[in-house]
Each structure stands twice: as C-alpha cells, then as structure tokens.
Amino acid sequence: MGHKYTGRTFIVEILAIALGLVFLVPFYYVISNSLKPFAEILTNTSALPKVFQFENYVQAFEKLDYLNVFTNSLIITVTSNIVLVIFCSMAAYMLVRTKKKISHVIFMTFVAAMIIPFQSIMIPLVKTAGNFGLLNSIWGLVIMYLGFGSGMTIFLYHGFIKGIPVELEEAAIIDGCTRFGVFWRIVFPLLKPITVTIVILNSLWIWNDFLLPSLVLQDPELRTIPLATFFFFGQYTKQWDLALAALVLGIIPLLIFFFSMQKHIIKGITSGSIK
Amino acid sequence: MNSQSNLKEVDGSVIVRDTSKHKAESKPFLSKKNLKNAGLFTLFVGPVFLAFTLIVLIPFFTGVYYAFTDWNGVTGAVQWVGLDNFKYLLFEDKQFHASFILTTKYTVVAILLTNLIGFGLALLVTQMLKTSNILRTVFFMPNLLGGLLLGFIWQFIFVKGFASIGELTGIPLFELAWLGDASTAFWGIVIVSVWQGAGYIMIIYIAALQNVPQELIEAARIDGANRWQVLRHITMPLVAPAVTICLFLTTASSFKIFDANLSLTNGGPFKSTEMLALNIYTEAFVNNRYGIGEAKALIFFLIVAAISVLQVTISKKREVES
C-alpha cells in the first residue's frame, strides 16, 4: 500500500476538496441565511450574515412546537426500534432453528413482501388501521413500523443467526436453561453487531419517514419533525427566515446522531446493502 | 426431513434421545413435546407475524380487490367494476401516462448519474488523499436527511441561492427560474436525488474497491498498463457485483421517489413533474378516487416487483458464475 504523495495526488486532492465544497454549498446557504433577518436574505443571499442573530430560531422553535415534535419523533423512533429488535430477533431465531416447512414458508413470506412498495398498501392500510383503532395514536404507528420493518429486520437477523453454531445452545439446555433463557442470555448477546446495523438502518428510515405518519397522525399534537416541517413550510411559504431556521432545527438531530455514530453508520450501510 | 430435524432440534435434547428410540413405533402428532414446540414457535414468531399480517398482508390483498371496484373511500358502497379502472388508466388518464413516462425517464437519468458520480467519488476518496476521511463524511452527509428536508433545502437553493449566484457570476444557467419551468424542474429533482444518493452508493463502491487486491493493480502497472487500462480491465470487472447491487438499489429508490418530489415541486408547475408515487397519492387522497388509485398502485407494484425479481435472478446467476 505504501504510496508516495506525488504531485498528481496533490492535484486530485485539490479537485476532491473543491467537489466536497460543492456538496456543502446547500448546507452553507441554508445555515447562513437562517441567521439573517428576512430583508437581508432577499438582498444578500450568498454573503455571510452581517450579524449572527438567532431571532429566527427562537420564533421557529416556538411555532414548530419543537420540543413536542422532537419528543414525538424520539419516542416513535426509539419504541419502534425496541419493538422491532425484540420481536424480529426472536422470530428470526425460531425460524432458523426450527427446520420445518412452515419456517421456510413464513420466512419467504416476510422476504417476498419486502418488494411491495408502500404506495400499494397505504390506501387500504388507512382503512384497516381505522377499524383497529390504530389511527391517531403513537402506538398504532409503532405497530405499523413493526409490520413494515419486519421484512428487512428478520431477513438480516436470519442471515446472521444461521452463522451461529447451535452447540452453544445445546450445552445450555443440558444445563437446564429454558428455550427462552437460551435465546435471551446466549443468542441475543451474540447478535450485537447485526443489531447495531439494524437499529441504524431502521432509525434513519423511521426518523425521516414522512408519508406514513402523515396518513396516520392527524392530531397536530402528535406530529413528528418531518410532519411539522412540512406543515410549517406550507404555512410560511416564502417566509424564508422562519422556514430555514425550522429546517436547520430539523437537520440538527440527524447531524448529532451521525457524528456520534459515524463508524457504525458507514458499516451498517455497507453490510445492510449487500444482502 | 422430519426425523432428521427432530435430532437437530435443540429443545430438550434429553427428550430427543428418548423419542428417537420410540420413533419407529409411534409418533403422535399431538405429543407433549410437539405441543410445547408449537407453543414456543407461536410465542417467538407470532407477535411480529400478527403485526405483519395486519399491516402488510391484509391491506395488500384488500388493495388488490379494491383495484377492481369503484370505491371512493367515503361511502360504504363498493361496486365491482371489473377491468374498468384499468381501461380508464390505459386509454383515458393522460396524467397517469405523463407521470409514467416522466418517472421512467427520471429513473434512467437518476440511475446513470447517481452511479457514475457515486463511483467517481469512491475512486477519489480511495486515492490515499490526506482528506479522504473528511471527504467521505461530506459526500455521505446529504444521505442522512430524508427526502422531505432535502426537497425543502433545495427549494431555497433553486429559488434564492441560484438567483444570487447568477447575479454574482452572470452565468445564465443560474439565472433561470429552475422550479418554474417543466424541464428545469425535472432536472432540479434529478440534482436533489443525485446529491442525496451518490454518497450512499459511494459507500458501497468503496467497500468493493477496497476488496480489489492491491497486488493485481501493482502487477499490471509494472507490466506497463496505464491508469485507465487498470481501471477498465482490472478494477471494473472486480467491482461488477457491487455495480449490479447499486444499479438495482438506485432503480428501486428512484422509481419510488415521493418525498423530494412532494417538497421540491409538489408536481408543479402544472403537474409537469408529478411522478408516479405522487400521482397515486393525489388520486387517492386528494381526488378521493380510491378504486382508481388502487389500480394505479397495483400496476406500480407489478413494475417494482418485476425489477426486484430481475435483480434477484441476476445476482443469483452472478453468484453461481463466480
């Protein structure tokens, strides 16, 4: 691998940095303009703000009901992840270890359903969900994420569990451990790497999801960040000062998540995509 | 199959030995052990399968049924209309045709650009640059944000940012009203999705490039191959499986685009950038024509399913060959 840093590499480096800056330009525009008063956004869009003022943020924070929508997003994402991890790891484990035809049929149903696009389900879903009282409730939404996320989550767990030798579990059973205990005390801890991948992939999906919550949560009190941003943009069209601050408030949690979990995220994406 | 699996089963290995002795004489279906196993199976698999049935399977199949009805979602009366909805879509619904063609065009353009740029970025950041790690992060960052936020960010860039850059530089490209015109608005959506997708695809290509044995490349260089030849004849064939994965990933995600479409243009100007997913959404939830919306959704599903089946077939074939 020992390569010299040649003049050519230097030129490539300059080009790459320039490209990186181009990628960052949209962020620059949004963040710098979110700190300007409205008039300055119109007259001086490209320049840095003359004075950094956070008035837009104070207003957007209040009008978005940010604390509330942030909490909603957090509760929905965390609960859905917990539910998905618990029930899908259990199911995948049983499907791998029970070598019966029914396991294969159930597993294939989960996998095959992964190709159904959300648009093909959403219309009757709203009706079914209404019948079962799942509309306008965070719990209802969590159950839906369990349903929609189950395909990929079980698929990833299934592939991983197949690689775990069964002897460990047999030994534990001889020692008098129940099947339930075997799974939670011995198998589940071994699943940690794939659990991290799964949690990251599902978190990004659920946190950013717009269409499903927009159909399920009609009560403004229950809105998530993407929903609140959407309605805010609709209400304050062309009021860029507030809209941009709201946008940055929507981006910040994702950036914090990313920078604290960067390594895992990149790894998760790589292993999650190569199915 | 069954007798083999009995031995393999973990549960109560003591009992397993026991039953295998008596297996020849009797194997009652409702034995205590079988019941216990069935109970455990239901306990482990049941909850998620129930949610999955309720949320995915039932709505999917009722949806297929509704595609052949005139359901409007409001009244209880649902009339079977046979193939009427599909005839309407095929012969009358011009907007559906336009959305269909637009989505296909968009998918082709987005696949090509996202993969070319994603691959280019992966090549760049694997060049032993001092800033490689930081650049990786930068190129990947747009991918974190959902399509909705991205669309709004770019709405500002196209409306105000580009105008300002145009003013400063005098480049006519930036002085256009990007979202006000059908063809530039189309390219606007392409730009947003490439900006978002290229970093994701880059991550997969990086993993593939890192698996290319360095010795092979060095050997070829020593034999006098230039950089282009190395790329063309050594690197490219070795990352071909990743290319297949990425092509299909981008095909599926491009074809299903909704969020960025909604937030960037909302189908405008005058429905000229309304992609299929948004068209289905509007038909169902704005026009309240659920039956026709479901017929569209069914066609949509068949296309997506065909793409996925093709993907699985091709990657399976690859695995066998390699």
Side-chain angles (χ1 to χ4, degrees):
Chain A
M1 295 286 260
H3 276 287
K4 273 179 290 175
Y5 195 84
T6 57
R8 183 186 159 278
T9 322
F10 180 70
I11 293 168
V12 173
E13 178 124 38
I14 300 287
L15 272 173
I17 292 174
L19 204 57
L21 291 177
V22 171
F23 259 72
L24 288 177
V25 163
F27 289 116
Y28 163 76
Y29 269 92
V30 168
I31 293 169
S32 80
N33 282 293
S34 71
L35 296 163
K36 297 173 191 171
F38 188 63
E40 200 184 329
I41 296 179
L42 296 186
T43 53
N44 241 336
T45 319
S46 295
L48 275 170
K50 284 184 193 123
V51 188
F52 286 81
Q53 54 106 23
F54 291 87
E55 182 51 30
N56 301 336
Y57 282 91
V58 176
Q59 278 197 50
F61 194 91
E62 212 171 283
K63 290 194 167 128
L64 267 179
D65 197 5
Y66 188 73
L67 224 48
N68 183 35
V69 295
F70 175 83
T71 317
N72 288 340
S73 275
L74 196 67
I75 292 176
I76 291 169
T77 309
V78 171
T79 332
S80 305
N81 264 306
I82 295 175
V83 170
L84 270 163
V85 164
I86 291 179
F87 289 117
C88 293
S89 63
M90 282 170 69
Y93 167 71
M94 202 42 110
L95 292 175
V96 173
R97 292 294 186 242
T98 310
K99 309 247 184 272
K100 293 244 170 73
K101 195 154 192 191
I102 185 158
S103 312
H104 186 68
V105 171
I106 292 179
F107 177 62
M108 287 320 284
T109 314
F110 276 115
V111 174
M114 279 164 70
I115 61 175
I116 303 176
F118 180 69
Q119 276 77 13
S120 308
I121 305 179
M122 65 180 182
I123 302 170
L125 174 71
V126 176
K127 199 187 149 149
T128 321
N131 291 343
F132 285 93
L134 299 177
L135 287 185
N136 248 333
S137 107
I138 284 189
W139 275 106
L141 188 60
V142 169
I143 292 176
M144 289 186 197
Y145 280 127
L146 175 61
F148 285 120
S150 58
M152 192 198 70
T153 310
I154 289 184
F155 180 78
L156 290 175
Y157 271 130
H158 197 272
F160 195 87
I161 294 172
K162 270 196 290 189
I164 297 180
V166 75
E167 285 75 22
L168 268 175
E169 299 160 34
E170 281 168 349
I173 296 237
I174 290 170
D175 291 346
C177 198
T178 64
R179 196 72 186 272
F180 213 70
V182 167
F183 176 71
W184 287 112
R185 292 207 203 120
I186 297 171
V187 180
F188 191 73
L190 294 174
L191 301 180
K192 198 180 158 208
I194 195 73
T195 302
V196 172
T197 298
I198 285 167
V199 167
I200 281 169
L201 294 176
N202 284 336
S203 298
L204 287 175
W205 158 53
I206 293 169
W207 185 274
N208 284 321
D209 193 24
F210 166 75
L211 188 49
L212 177 61
S214 82
L215 295 174
V216 176
L217 308 173
Q218 277 111 13
D219 184 352
E221 278 295 299
L222 297 176
R223 277 177 191 164
T224 60
I225 288 185
L227 273 180
T229 317
F230 177 76
F231 287 108
F232 195 84
F233 255 76
Q235 201 178 346
Y236 295 92
T237 335
K238 306 299 171 238
Q239 257 187 277
W240 291 115
D241 46 348
L242 294 183
L244 292 178
L247 208 48
V248 177
L249 286 174
I251 297 172
I252 287 172
L254 282 161
L255 290 186
I256 294 175
F257 177 68
F258 178 59
F259 285 112
S260 52
M261 311 273 291
Q262 199 177 348
K263 271 217 181 88
H264 294 298
I265 292 179
I266 304 271
K267 224 169 43 198
I269 300 254
T270 319
S271 55
S273 66
I274 304 172
K275 294 180 218 169
Chain B
M1 163 99 196
N2 211 357
S3 57
Q4 253 184 349
S5 62
N6 251 345
L7 288 173
K8 269 195 188 163
E9 258 166 40
V10 197
D11 186 51
S13 48
V14 187
I15 308 173
V16 170
R17 224 177 298 142
D18 207 48
T19 44
S20 54
K21 243 185 272 167
H22 304 286
K23 201 170 46 197
E25 321 149 16
S26 70
K27 222 182 82 193
F29 178 70
L30 282 175
S31 70
K32 206 174 157 199
K33 176 176 169 279
N34 270 350
L35 266 182
K36 193 185 157 211
N37 275 345
L40 270 173
F41 190 84
T42 316
L43 185 72
F44 274 64
V45 182
V48 61
F49 194 71
L50 188 71
F52 171 75
T53 309
L54 190 71
I55 302 302
V56 180
L57 292 185
I58 294 178
F60 176 70
F61 288 111
T62 43
V64 172
Y65 163 70
Y66 283 129
F68 299 92
T69 67
D70 65 353
W71 186 36
N72 62 12
V74 187
T75 58
V78 178
Q79 283 256 307
W80 179 266
V81 294
L83 291 172
D84 282 6
N85 290 336
F86 295 93
K87 279 184 199 144
Y88 168 77
L89 293 184
L90 208 59
F91 300 115
E92 286 173 52
D93 193 340
K94 294 276 181 297
Q95 182 56 43
F96 183 64
H97 301 170
S99 290
F100 192 92
I101 294 167
L102 184 81
T103 310
T104 313
K105 198 174 121 190
Y106 160 80
T107 306
V108 172
V109 176
I111 296 169
L112 287 178
L113 287 180
T114 310
N115 279 281
L116 278 176
I117 294 176
F119 188 70
L121 294 179
L123 275 181
L124 262 186
V125 299
T126 44
Q127 295 287 315
M128 314 287 158
L129 305 180
K130 294 197 163 95
T131 48
S132 271
N133 281 332
I134 267 199
L135 285 171
R136 251 176 245 210
T137 309
V138 167
F139 293 137
F140 178 74
M141 228 157 49
N143 197 265
L144 287 174
L145 315 185
L148 194 87
L149 295 181
L150 287 173
F152 285 135
I153 292 178
W154 278 89
Q155 198 185 324
F156 179 71
I157 305 299
F158 284 128
V159 174
K160 301 258 56 135
F162 270 27
S164 161
I165 297 174
E167 231 171 81
L168 291 173
T169 60
I171 300 173
L173 193 65
F174 290 109
E175 288 167 336
L176 301 171
W178 273 71
L179 300 182
D181 178 77
S183 66
T184 45
F186 170 81
W187 285 101
I189 302 176
V190 171
I191 291 175
V192 175
S193 60
V194 171
W195 187 63
Q196 178 191 26
Y200 181 83
I201 295 303
M202 171 193 77
I203 299 283
I204 302 171
Y205 281 133
I206 289 175
L209 284 173
Q210 281 167 344
N211 282 334
V212 175
Q214 205 60 36
E215 306 85 66
L216 264 181
I217 294 179
E218 272 162 23
R221 296 284 290 168
I222 290 166
D223 289 346
N226 64 31
R227 277 173 211 282
W228 170 248
Q229 284 169 325
V230 169
L231 181 68
R232 177 72 193 78
H233 296 290
I234 294 179
T235 312
M236 295 285 268
L238 284 172
V239 299
V243 176
T244 319
I245 291 171
C246 289
L247 283 180
F248 280 106
L249 275 177
T250 40
T251 311
S253 65
S254 311
F255 199 77
K256 292 192 273 191
I257 182 174
F258 177 82
D259 290 9
N261 192 192
L262 178 77
S263 59
L264 187 69
T265 68
N266 196 7
F270 307 111
K271 290 191 169 278
S272 59
T273 59
E274 190 178 86
M275 306 274 182
L276 270 182
L278 186 57
N279 181 269
I280 297 173
Y281 177 87
T282 316
E283 191 69 78
F285 297 114
V286 180
N287 303 342
N288 267 331
R289 297 200 295 183
Y290 284 38
I292 292 175
E294 260 313 323
K296 289 181 176 183
L298 186 58
I299 296 176
F300 189 65
F301 160 73
L302 290 175
I303 298 168
V304 174
I307 296 171
S308 310
V309 170
L310 195 67
Q311 164 183 19
V312 173
T313 326
I314 290 184
S315 13
K316 278 264 161 66
K317 208 171 139 226
R318 267 259 161 69
E319 271 165 33
V320 173
E321 276 168 5
S322 60

